[in-house]
Amino acid sequence: MRAQIAIAVSALVLVLVLGYQLPSVPTRPPPTGAEAAMTPRPECVADSDEQTQFSGPPRGWSLGEVSVQVTLSGCELVEVAAELETTNPLSERRSTGALERLRSAVLSSQCADVDAVSGATGTSEAYLGSLQAALDAANAGAPC
Amino acid sequence: MLTGGRRVPLPSLSHETGAHGTGRSANPSPPQHLHPEPGPPPQSDGRPAAPSGADGERAAHGAHSAARPQRVEHHVEHIMGIPISIAVRTGGPGDLPAAATLAAVSEAFASLRRADELFSPFKPDSQVSQLRDRRMTLAGCDPDVRAVLRICDDLRRATGGSFDACAAGPDQLDPCGVVKGWAAERASDLLAAAGVTAHSVNAGGDVHLRGRPAADRRWRVGIADPHRPGNLLTAVHGENLAVATSGTAERGLHVIDPRRGMPAAELASVTVVGPSLTTADGYATAAVAMGFEALPWLADLDAYEAFVVDAGQGVWWTAGFPHHAPDLERKAASR
């Protein structure tokens, strides 16, 4: 298992370092060898209640390490957790520990006074519903 | 469900321009205009004033147009199969005369229609379609096509292959993941060059903001909840900022993860904000393809911040994102 993780980490690092570096692109750590490979995905059985957990390998980034853990019930996503830990105390981007995950229901609201909506306006038909909703919300008085 | 508020007459879809698959050459219908109330002072409790209905709106607009208050006007056209909404500040000191503003807006829409003619994979004679069918070589293409394909190449490398204009296959060139943002950014450049210094260009959810709609506030871009159509999760406040959202909500699983060759399904939507809409659009598209692995990648980007909604209704954001969305920390703290 540990060998698999080591291979996956090395592979990912190699894939990243082959990337072309643009000014706005994050800096990549140096390569350590081994062939490129995709991050393995768990086998899942659709419509089953069996819970499986899958952890992505920890990645070394210029700021620290991140690991992502996914819990599936059958093939359905139940939970996801990600941890970003910075190892550089001088970094301006201080880690908050776990990337916080909230339920969207907590944040969802009828937001007023927006000039535009970014997101669910992909098609002309849906546009009517979503823009109408946004304009109505703009006049419903609820502050954003 | 939303209740109350004022219903604003919306443009009908009968004037669809640049519709998919029709092969019609661009014969533009008059742009559809939305005129929200021209800016009566807010009520004492801070809520915007609400005229009594459509008649009230037209009367108020007529009464104010003589005094030319500074206001935001919305113009909408359907191009590239999506609604393109251009909002311009107009009527105030330092703003162009109305006719010049309208001319600049028309130019901006024209540039978006030209982009559709060049890039639409749904138009059989677009240059992208001809490239796919090998009826045209890259050298024979419009310089804009070469420029966009170069951007696609840069993005493919910058995202480790997660953004790939040929994700669906080597003969299935589809630069759509960046064309929308690129075209909207160019339209914004055109408006600025023409002297419309405060505007917002919203190309189906990819938004470029410039200047301020009024002296006392910045533009506000609501971020849609992909799980609850019609609801907004938060709002980005900005001037001279790009906001791009990519996701699976509206069009289903249309973003192919090039590494697995399968539709990406783990993230319902990704919003990226930063200086360039072209880049933000490419990064958002790439992040949807990456799935959960996008979370650390987004957190590490320089100059771009992100807000992510996953398929399980979890919401994530990078540490710098609340700087652009002042309400977010307050909402998160009050849960």
Side-chain angles (χ1 to χ4, degrees), chain B residues 269-295:
Chain B
S269 78
V270 175
T271 299
V272 175
V273 306
S276 160
L277 187 57
T278 311
T279 304
D281 196 8
Y283 284 173
T285 304
V288 171
M290 287 178 187
F292 296 117
E293 292 160 16
L295 292 175

Side-chain angles (χ1 to χ4, degrees), chain B residues 3-301:
Chain B
T3 57
R6 175 172 59 83
R7 300 211 97 90
V8 174
L10 289 174
S12 73
L13 286 179
S14 59
H15 295 293
E16 183 109 328
T17 53
H20 282 177
T22 61
R24 268 186 280 155
S25 62
N27 184 18
S29 62
Q32 310 294 319
H33 297 276
L34 293 173
H35 292 291
E37 64 228 86
Q43 299 171 1
S44 57
D45 63 356
R47 292 168 46 211
S52 55
D55 288 345
E57 179 217 6
R58 277 192 273 277
H61 184 70
H64 279 91
S65 60
R68 286 180 62 82
Q70 188 172 70
R71 64 198 180 279
V72 173
E73 274 184 356
H74 289 249
H75 306 265
V76 184
E77 287 198 21
H78 294 265
I79 305 172
M80 300 188 264
I82 55 176
I84 313 267
S85 172
I86 295 182
V88 293
R89 186 190 70 204
T90 188
D95 291 328
L96 295 178
T101 300
L102 277 181
V105 169
S106 287
E107 256 311 298
F109 280 129
S111 79
L112 288 155
R113 278 192 294 275
R114 274 196 303 273
D116 192 28
E117 294 293 331
L118 284 177
F119 291 103
S120 174
F122 304 104
K123 291 183 188 291
D125 289 324
S126 74
Q127 293 200 0
V128 163
S129 294
Q130 294 194 55
L131 277 173
R132 284 159 82 155
D133 297 344
R134 299 193 178 87
R135 283 178 282 147
M136 183 176 272
T137 63
L138 197 53
C141 280
D142 191 283
D144 283 348
V145 174
R146 289 197 293 274
V148 166
L149 292 180
R150 262 198 305 275
I151 293 168
C152 286
D153 249 9
D154 293 342
L155 277 169
R156 183 173 46 80
R157 284 187 285 255
T159 60
S162 293
F163 176 93
D164 190 343
C166 290
D171 288 337
Q172 301 298 314
L173 173 67
D174 181 1
C176 284
V178 83
V179 167
K180 213 172 37 154
W182 176 86
E185 189 168 6
R186 288 250 304 209
S188 173
D189 289 343
L190 264 172
L191 287 168
V196 182
T197 54
H199 62 259
S200 139
V201 177
N202 182 356
D206 287 350
V207 187
H208 210 272
L209 305 170
R210 252 188 238 258
R212 288 181 163 234
D216 59 349
R217 73 170 184 92
R218 293 179 291 171
W219 293 103
R220 290 187 281 253
V221 179
I223 308 299
D225 184 339
H227 298 298
R228 290 178 194 77
N231 274 291
L232 304 179
L233 291 170
T234 185
V236 168
H237 294 212
E239 56 187 303
N240 305 320
L241 189 71
V243 183
T245 300
S246 190
T248 54
E250 282 297 309
R251 302 206 199 212
L253 301 176
H254 75 293
V255 178
I256 306 284
D257 178 350
R259 297 166 305 160
R260 291 180 287 166
M262 288 171 36
E266 293 166 353
L267 303 181
S269 78
V270 175
T271 299
V272 175
V273 306
S276 160
L277 187 57
T278 311
T279 304
D281 196 8
Y283 284 173
T285 304
V288 171
M290 287 178 187
F292 296 117
E293 292 160 16
L295 292 175
W297 181 77
L298 291 167
D300 205 31
L301 291 174

Side-chain angles (χ1 to χ4, degrees), chain A residues 72-90:
Chain A
L72 306 175
S73 176
C75 287
E76 206 173 305
L77 170 70
V78 171
E79 188 69 38
V80 61
E83 285 213 7
L84 170 64
E85 287 198 6
T86 180
T87 56
N88 180 358
L90 300 177

Side-chain angles (χ1 to χ4, degrees), chain A residues 10-143:
Chain A
S10 306
L12 181 71
V13 161
L14 180 66
V15 168
L16 295 176
V17 82
L18 291 175
Y20 171 78
Q21 201 155 350
L22 295 176
S24 61
V25 166
T27 53
R28 312 285 187 185
T32 58
E35 268 186 60
M38 298 187 299
T39 303
R41 290 285 192 272
E43 296 288 326
C44 66
V45 179
D47 299 328
S48 96
D49 287 335
E50 182 193 339
Q51 287 223 347
T52 53
Q53 280 200 336
F54 161 64
S55 288
R59 318 250 181 97
W61 294 83
S62 54
L63 291 181
E65 283 202 339
V66 176
S67 55
V68 177
Q69 181 175 278
V70 166
T71 305
L72 306 175
S73 176
C75 287
E76 206 173 305
L77 170 70
V78 171
E79 188 69 38
V80 61
E83 285 213 7
L84 170 64
E85 287 198 6
T86 180
T87 56
N88 180 358
L90 300 177
S91 165
E92 286 180 18
R93 272 194 293 277
R94 256 188 72 256
S95 162
T96 55
L99 282 169
E100 188 169 18
R101 178 183 188 242
L102 298 183
R103 291 261 161 207
S104 65
V106 168
L107 301 178
S108 193
S109 70
Q110 299 168 21
C111 207
D113 281 339
V114 291
D115 303 295
V117 176
S118 182
T121 53
T123 64
S124 297
E125 288 75 20
Y127 159 75
L128 281 179
S130 63
L131 180 59
Q132 175 118 43
L135 290 174
D136 286 345
N139 291 288

